[in-house]
Amino acid sequence: MIDVLVVDDDTRVAEINAAYVAKVPGFRASRLAHSAAEALAALERAPVDLVLLDHYLPDETGLQLVSRLRQRGVQTDVIMVTAARDIATVQAAMRQGALQYLVKPFTFAGLRHKLEGYAALHRAFEGGGQAEQSEVDRIFGALGSAGAGPAELPKGHSTATADRVRSVLRTADEALSAQDVARQAGLSRQTAQRYLKLLERAGRVRLSLKYGETGRPEHRYLWV
């Protein structure tokens, strides 16, 4: 599980964001904080993998908190979740190492895509060792691919259908064929194939070929 600290001065917003985090498989909102001081104390008691951080806090800004964390050697990953949308703040967040920046107000789908991108990045780092250029490119592209949210689906495609296909793939223990996905999602094979191609182009699934004794190789899809 990826442990998340949710930091927001509005207690209701913090609870909503924590509930959103809990809905994404593989994540849990282990703690909430409503000020920079509370967040710092929480991180000193026990580390987390990721901080969802508001910029406007009552005692100091979120970016000031990030600066203090780095000075203390705390390298916890940070995703800014804030109403601050001026370019100067966005640029400062990038320079201080924020991995993503989500502007309020946002939907659950918007946060989910950021978290899924982070999870892909988290998995890429788990193995350690050396990386070829292709692996480096995949690591740097992991967060960027999270931007392809439901709102960016091509015309004629349904967010609900895309979510059904994604859910089947994410919970599968092995690569699936288009027919497997169609059966589990309750779709026609042609419909499943259309959405699988979209996910492949977005870098969310890996395509492999399974060769049988006769006929053409079967396309199989694995969530990455």
Side-chain angles (χ1 to χ4, degrees), residues 124 127-133 135-136 139:
Q130 303 294 311
E132 299 296 334
Q133 183 63 53
E135 179 69 7
V136 172
I139 290 172

Side-chain angles (χ1 to χ4, degrees), residues 176-183 188-189 192-193 196 219-221:
L176 301 177
S177 68
Q179 187 60 51
D180 294 331
V181 174
R183 182 177 63 254
S188 70
R189 186 184 184 282
Q193 187 72 57
L196 287 167
H219 288 197
R220 301 184 71 84
Y221 300 87

